[in-house]
Amino acid sequence: MTGGFHTDGLAARLKEQGIAYAVVSPAIKEVPNDNRYFDQMRGEVSWRLYFRPQNGKIDLYDAFARATTERLLAADSVQR
């Protein structure tokens, strides 16, 4: 699975290698006014406080998983 800017290059490489592929594109009639996509790309997410730079990189899955686990455990303790 790929999206947007990578589709043409990946399709060309698959075609060169004789690998069957399909391109599926959404029919977008208008772009929503909210900027959630751009916010996400800039790291403006509710779990950004869980970012831990290691070797110049941030493991986004780890940050999201830790934030989600902490919030679920906090919600569970409130319900008890």
Side-chain angles (χ1 to χ4, degrees):
M1 175 182 274
T2 185
F5 303 109
H6 305 287
T7 303
D8 292 340
L10 184 57
R13 291 191 68 176
L14 292 171
K15 189 173 184 176
E16 286 172 6
Q17 296 177 25
I19 299 172
Y21 65 93
V23 176
V24 178
S25 300
I28 300 173
K29 295 182 181 178
E30 69 180 64
V31 177
N33 288 332
D34 64 12
N35 290 322
R36 283 184 248 168
Y37 174 78
F38 294 110
D39 292 345
Q40 294 278 328
M41 293 299 104
R42 288 190 299 257
E44 296 173 11
V45 293
S46 62
W47 39 275
R48 70 182 171 275
L49 298 176
Y50 294 84
F51 288 2
R52 285 187 189 157
Q54 293 180 335
N55 299 322
K57 298 180 181 180
I58 296 172
D59 184 336
L60 296 178
Y61 176 81
D62 177 66
F64 179 78
R66 285 185 296 109
T68 302
T69 300
E70 187 173 299
R71 289 176 184 165
L72 288 172
L73 290 173
D76 185 48
S77 67
V78 170
Q79 292 177 2
R80 290 181 182 203

